[in-house]
Amino acid sequence: MVEWLRFAPPASSNAGAMFAPKPVDGLIYSMLSPAFYRLLQCPTCSSRDLYVEADGVHCLCCQTVYPFGDGFVDLMPRTAAFGYVSKYVTEEAEMAEELDYRDLAPPLLAAGVRERILRRLLRFRPSDIFLDNGCGNGRFGVWYAPAVALSVGSDPATLYADEAKQLLALAKADARRLPFADDVFDKALSVDVLEHFPLDVIDDYLRETARVLRPGGRLAAFSNTKELSHLQAVIDASKRLGQWFVNRGVYDFEREARRKSDHVKALPTYEDVRAAMERAGLRVIEVRFWNTVVTSFVEHVLMKLGEALLAHKRRPAQPHTDHGETHGGEGTQREIVARRRIRKQLSPRSPVYWGLYLLTSLMELDVILWGRLRTGPYFILVEKPR
Ligand SMILES: [Zn+2]
């Protein structure tokens, strides 16, 4: 017997969260929130004739079954073949460890600056249906979930944080063929995504994001061009100081280098960014550049020194892995160990938390003071015309 959506969301959880399979009348049903279900369309044939059974979401039109995963629905298109595949998908197991994705820290330091600026640009309303397109572990969706009616995360790699599985509606999806109907989202987010894609994928990604936004809906993006800052000399001074410590073996930037290893930056200038938005039918509302004067000093010197100190304090601690082996070199491991150690001290509003909070505010000054001065890292707010 086909069991159409059995909606029994516990009152305490977010309206959009997925519900783990649980026994109802002696049978196991995977449950999907009605709010999330209403957004969906078949990514393979674009039909909206979908229904839900215990094994997943079914398309009446093309008969595809999209199974439930651990806290998400696998909504990858089944027939499309794409040329480009992100390394987060091809090297998922390896990246899993390096990204250290399971536990979420509060939005602090560079992530905190992004969180604050993007929140301000998007001006959430309690009724908003929100999509983080390329959500990674889902941290932005988690941070913004209390401000919106429904927080949705979409990513082809399923390295979702535990909290994201509880608070977000998560779709394993390809951004070139999103599993959502036209005009359903009020706000969308794109953080650290565009710099990874070749130009044709950027165009598809933005066109799909525009399609699922309602007219008047807005997308806020954070990415990087190849432009240099007028304040580059000051920024480079911090990097040189950082290099001085690297040369003396105090720390290294191995993890950063690996993270940036697949940056394509197919939009080399801000004009290219504008043009790409316009090709997708998105109108530019506002842009803020991030001249990383304070930020560079914090990231290249202060934090790295702190990490080196913390990681060396107790040497034998190796990060726990599911596979019993570790990937990445010593620098990566040291950083992961230090970050975990810091994270343990972050709750409940500890002195460490407030110290990092203060540093975050100092880093944010880079955007507030020099936001009009062009450079590589940028925040952009665009709108789908009404
Ligand atoms: Zn279909």
Side-chain angles (χ1 to χ4, degrees):
M1 171 64 197
V2 173
E3 189 64 39
W4 293 62
L5 294 166
R6 290 192 68 115
F7 301 133
S12 59
S13 46
N14 179 299
M18 298 274 313
F19 300 104
K22 80 178 183 190
V24 178
D25 307 332
L27 292 166
I28 304 291
Y29 296 101
S30 288
M31 287 185 259
L32 184 70
S33 83
F36 187 32
Y37 170 76
R38 275 195 288 274
L39 309 177
L40 299 180
Q41 85 172 22
C42 175
T44 305
C45 76
S46 302
S47 165
R48 296 202 66 188
D49 291 328
L50 305 174
Y51 63 98
V52 180
E53 282 191 46
D55 59 343
V57 179
H58 292 236
C59 176
L60 264 174
C61 185
C62 70
Q63 309 296 326
T64 306
V65 181
Y66 301 98
F68 296 114
D70 173 23
F72 64 92
V73 194
D74 179 355
L75 287 154
M76 291 292 272
R78 292 302 194 263
T79 52
F82 297 114
Y84 167 86
V85 183
S86 152
K87 80 167 178 184
Y88 295 94
V89 176
T90 52
E91 302 170 27
E92 184 165 321
E94 184 174 340
M95 295 303 291
E97 220 165 84
E98 228 166 284
L99 290 167
D100 194 16
Y101 66 97
R102 244 174 234 283
D103 300 314
L104 289 186
L108 292 167
L109 301 171
V113 176
R114 289 171 176 76
E115 193 271 345
R116 292 178 190 190
I117 306 289
L118 293 163
R119 181 192 289 269
R120 222 170 291 145
L121 287 174
L122 281 173
R123 295 189 196 176
F124 292 112
R125 293 183 189 164
S127 60
D128 278 347
I129 310 291
F130 166 70
L131 169 68
D132 185 353
N133 192 7
C135 67
N137 71 351
R139 57 187 180 159
F140 281 85
V142 168
W143 293 331
Y144 295 150
V148 299
L150 176 61
S151 187
V152 178
S154 164
D155 205 291
T158 58
L159 306 172
Y160 308 124
D162 296 338
E163 220 177 326
K165 289 178 189 171
Q166 288 157 23
L167 286 174
L168 307 190
L170 289 168
K172 174 182 165 104
D174 193 294
R176 287 159 287 193
R177 195 77 70 77
L178 287 175
F180 308 114
D182 299 357
D183 308 336
V184 289
F185 290 99
D186 301 289
K187 306 280 163 67
L189 186 72
S190 170
V191 182
D192 299 322
V193 171
L194 295 175
E195 68 269 28
H196 294 277
F197 292 157
L199 197 56
D200 58 325
V201 179
I202 290 177
D203 281 344
D204 288 346
Y205 172 89
L206 290 176
R207 208 174 304 121
E208 272 294 269
T209 310
R211 177 182 69 76
V212 301
L213 275 176
R214 68 165 170 78
R218 290 181 167 191
L219 161 71
F222 173 75
S223 185
N224 258 281
T225 64
K226 291 179 176 169
E227 291 187 34
L228 291 179
S229 170
H230 284 98
L231 306 171
Q232 202 63 39
V234 191
I235 294 167
D236 288 344
S238 293
K239 291 186 179 168
R240 271 202 300 277
L241 184 54
Q243 194 56 44
W244 188 86
F245 284 111
V246 171
N247 294 343
R248 272 147 196 82
V250 180
Y251 54 70
D252 63 55
F253 289 100
E254 183 194 273
R255 195 171 181 222
E256 283 84 351
R258 281 185 62 82
R259 201 181 293 144
K260 290 177 178 168
S261 63
D262 73 333
H263 283 197
V264 183
K265 295 192 182 175
L267 303 173
T269 69
Y270 174 59
E271 278 72 29
D272 296 313
V273 176
R274 273 194 94 96
M277 294 298 173
E278 279 159 20
R279 280 198 299 279
L282 294 163
R283 192 168 59 91
V284 178
I285 305 281
E286 206 176 332
V287 65
R288 285 277 179 283
F289 297 100
W290 189 357
N291 291 273
T292 55
V293 176
V294 180
T295 303
S296 273
F297 184 72
V298 172
E299 288 193 326
H300 287 260
V301 184
L302 276 188
M303 286 314 294
K304 297 302 287 188
L305 279 177
E307 273 169 19
L309 267 174
L310 277 167
H312 282 297
K313 241 195 220 165
R314 264 170 286 152
R315 197 72 194 109
Q318 281 291 312
H320 162 83
T321 70
D322 293 336
H323 319 291
E325 57 184 88
T326 53
H327 294 282
E330 201 187 321
T332 301
Q333 296 308 329
R334 180 167 57 218
E335 189 181 323
I336 292 174
V337 170
R339 291 201 171 217
R340 285 198 182 149
R341 206 158 282 162
I342 293 172
R343 212 177 288 152
K344 283 207 184 86
Q345 298 175 40
L346 282 180
S347 53
R349 300 290 183 255
S350 61
V352 178
Y353 175 89
W354 287 112
L356 294 176
Y357 187 90
L358 180 68
L359 279 181
T360 309
S361 299
L362 289 173
M363 291 164 77
E364 190 186 3
L365 278 179
D366 278 340
V367 186
I368 294 168
L369 293 177
W370 300 295
R372 308 259 173 217
L373 199 61
R374 279 179 55 163
T375 183
Y378 64 89
F379 297 91
I380 194 167
L381 180 70
V382 294
E383 186 179 80
K384 177 174 176 177
R386 286 169 202 276

